[in-house]
Amino acid sequence: MTPVRRRAALAGSVVLLTTAVAAVAVLVTALFAWRTIRSTAESQERDQLSRQAEVMARTPALATLMLDRQQLIAGPNGTELALVGTTGAVQGPAAPVVGAAWRTTLLAGRDVSGTGFLDGQEVLVEGVPARTGGGLVLIRPMSSVDEAADRMRGALVLPLGLGLSGAALAGALLARRLARPLVSAARTAHRLSEGERGLRVPAEGPAEVSELATALNSLDAALAHSEQRQRDFLMSVSHEIRTPLTTVRGYAEALADKVITGDEVPEAGRILGGEIERLERFVGDLLALARLEADDFRLDTDEVDVDALVARAATVWSARCTGHDVVFRAERPGHPVRITTDGFRVRQLVDGLLENALRVTPAGRPLVLALCQEDTGARLEVRDGGPGLTEEDVAVAFERGTLTARYRGVRAVGSGLGLALAHRLATLLGGTVTVQGHGPEGGACFTVRLPADPGLSRLS
């Protein structure tokens, strides 16, 4: 048995991701700051050394005394001094650092700034011209820059660590905010799969999570509605089957018990045949609907002359309507109306709508099959002179068994599958079927629109 791989929880993944992103950000910041701090520290040391040199340059004669006193108070910091006389002579501990170029610059009245070496050690050099001529130069070991940079880097560790910890905490809070409604939605989905209904998921959290909750709530309502329709349909099916079965059983028992004999037998046989035919028709509708809803249902499309198809259908239905004293009329253009479709399925669709219409059309009333050519294809209409449909009927006309259950005992009804079959067929043919409650003849008007090319219709 293959072991089931355990998936990581969303909360843990979010925390890990946010911490990883924060860690990368902290690392990049630290690397950038690590290099920037060194130059910042050097700039600060130079600035401090330059200001100190400016103060001392105002009284060059007291500069050495001032430096010695400062180091006595604050402690030695490696700062050394060099005095450049008006003649260019240099004296003081830092004299070896001051070269000819710097002497010339100071005698010209300009500042000097740079680095040099004293006793093999790299030093910072800052010099300013004196008011009385010449200049003053201060040097400080470069190690002081490194020490200042280390102090600044050490101070950087705490805020970076706090930033990383804060990111992890923010990730945990975000994960909790995301995961809680998702877990609730997942639990609701599991309960829905187990058959519970009437569940509500709170629409909280981010917009996407809230949309998921709304979708689950809509799914719950849709499932409840669908299951209620299925129950109603099954009740309708059971009623449709039970009635002819009861009749067949009753006559079969009467024949077996010889209650029906002699001249009554042929009549009983006709009744049994009629009930069996009802059962066959009902089962046939069920099987046809199941085939239409199968994923592998195939259409055999070809160029079809719908006008000729309507003419053939009119010949058959004119005879059937005459037998029911219904006035049949066919309205067609009388010239070829060619579209690419499955002619057999179109005829099946037309026959289904005509049979449904004939069932409710009283004797002496009209039944019309009309064809009209349109720019986008063909339009077929089946209109009857029956009682028509209410607005509530129109809304549910193509739902399986709904009208049958609504009008059983009021008017002639069929298996409850005919209009559902028509709707499914029209959809598979790339067209549509709609209904008006009352058409020109007073009864219902069913309109089928078929595209000239069902392939193009599905792409559009």
Side-chain angles (χ1 to χ4, degrees):
M1 181 177 179
T2 305
V4 178
R5 183 178 179 182
R6 184 177 180 82
R7 296 182 180 273
L10 175 63
S13 299
V14 171
V15 173
L16 181 62
L17 179 61
T18 52
T19 305
V21 172
V24 171
V26 166
L27 180 61
V28 171
T29 303
L31 290 175
F32 178 77
W34 202 265
R35 302 185 63 179
T36 306
I37 284 174
R38 179 66 171 72
S39 60
T40 302
E42 182 177 343
S43 177
Q44 290 179 352
E45 289 292 314
R46 285 189 180 278
D47 185 61
Q48 182 184 2
L49 195 62
S50 177
R51 288 198 304 268
Q52 187 178 4
E54 288 178 359
V55 172
M56 291 183 176
R58 293 173 185 174
T59 54
L62 300 176
T64 303
L65 180 61
M66 291 172 61
L67 181 60
D68 291 342
R69 183 169 182 173
Q70 178 184 354
Q71 293 182 355
L72 180 63
I73 295 173
N77 58 4
T79 304
E80 300 290 350
L81 177 145
L83 291 174
V84 179
T86 55
T87 61
V90 183
Q91 59 180 346
V97 178
V98 183
W102 283 348
R103 287 199 304 270
T104 303
T105 301
L106 288 171
L107 291 174
R110 298 193 301 272
D111 295 344
V112 297
S113 178
T115 58
F117 287 90
L118 181 64
D119 299 331
Q121 184 182 19
E122 189 178 12
V123 293
L124 295 173
V125 180
E126 293 293 327
V128 295
R131 291 181 178 179
T132 57
L136 183 144
V137 176
L138 290 181
I139 67 170
R140 183 173 295 171
M142 192 65 75
S143 59
S144 62
V145 175
D146 296 331
E147 292 172 359
D150 290 341
R151 289 193 299 271
M152 295 172 68
R153 288 166 179 166
L156 186 65
V157 173
L158 180 60
L160 289 177
L162 290 176
L164 183 60
S165 301
L169 178 60
L173 294 176
L174 175 63
R176 183 178 179 184
R177 187 164 183 258
L178 285 175
R180 185 168 53 186
L182 287 177
V183 170
S184 175
R187 289 174 179 168
T188 301
H190 286 303
R191 292 171 65 186
L192 287 173
S193 68
E194 293 170 357
E196 291 190 53
R197 297 293 179 265
L199 305 176
R200 300 292 298 174
V201 183
E204 59 183 12
E208 293 80 1
V209 179
S210 177
E211 185 176 352
L212 173 62
T214 302
L216 279 174
N217 293 333
S218 300
L219 176 62
D220 174 55
L223 286 173
H225 178 66
S226 176
E227 290 172 357
Q228 182 61 45
R229 286 176 54 194
Q230 289 179 9
R231 284 191 291 270
D232 294 342
F233 176 67
L234 289 175
M235 291 179 64
S236 174
V237 168
S238 64
H239 185 278
E240 290 294 330
I241 292 178
R242 186 186 302 113
T243 301
L245 283 179
T246 301
T247 303
V248 170
R249 181 175 181 175
Y251 275 91
E253 290 177 350
L255 288 170
D257 295 338
K258 297 183 179 180
V259 175
I260 298 177
T261 59
D263 296 339
E264 296 175 340
V265 172
E267 180 62 22
R270 283 192 294 273
I271 294 174
L272 287 172
E275 295 303 314
I276 291 172
E277 184 179 350
R278 280 184 61 192
L279 281 173
E280 287 180 343
R281 190 163 56 245
F282 185 75
V283 172
D285 286 347
L286 282 175
L287 292 175
L289 187 60
R291 283 193 294 269
L292 289 177
E293 292 180 347
D295 293 335
D296 58 350
F297 181 81
R298 185 173 62 88
L299 293 174
D300 295 321
T301 57
D302 199 356
E303 188 177 71
V304 176
D305 181 2
V306 188
D307 183 75
L309 185 147
V310 169
R312 292 191 296 270
T315 301
V316 175
W317 283 95
S318 177
R320 288 192 60 179
C321 289
T322 300
H324 290 79
D325 293 329
V326 171
V327 181
F328 181 82
R329 186 171 74 252
E331 298 175 357
R332 56 192 186 90
H335 59 76
V337 178
R338 301 187 185 279
I339 63 174
T340 301
T341 189
D342 186 331
F344 176 80
R345 297 300 178 183
V346 174
R347 177 61 188 273
Q348 183 182 1
L349 172 57
V350 169
D351 287 347
L353 291 176
L354 287 170
E355 184 171 356
N356 179 75
L358 180 59
R359 187 181 301 113
V360 297
T361 303
R365 298 293 297 166
L367 175 57
V368 179
L369 172 60
L371 169 65
C372 179
Q373 186 171 16
E374 296 183 331
D375 294 337
T376 56
R379 184 181 80 242
L380 290 160
E381 289 184 354
V382 174
R383 309 192 300 264
D384 63 69
L389 299 172
T390 66
E391 292 184 4
E392 293 78 7
D393 295 337
V394 170
V396 296
F398 300 104
E399 294 182 4
R400 290 177 292 183
T402 302
L403 293 183
T404 296
R406 182 172 296 180
Y407 288 106
R408 183 181 291 113
V410 177
R411 65 176 71 159
V413 294
S415 64
L417 301 176
L419 293 181
L421 281 168
H423 183 271
R424 182 60 178 160
L425 272 172
T427 302
L428 289 171
L429 292 168
T432 60
V433 57
T434 56
V435 60
Q436 288 180 280
H438 296 281
E441 284 70 29
C445 173
F446 289 87
T447 302
V448 178
R449 283 185 167 85
L450 298 174
D453 188 329
L456 295 177
S457 175
R458 292 188 182 96
L459 291 174
S460 61

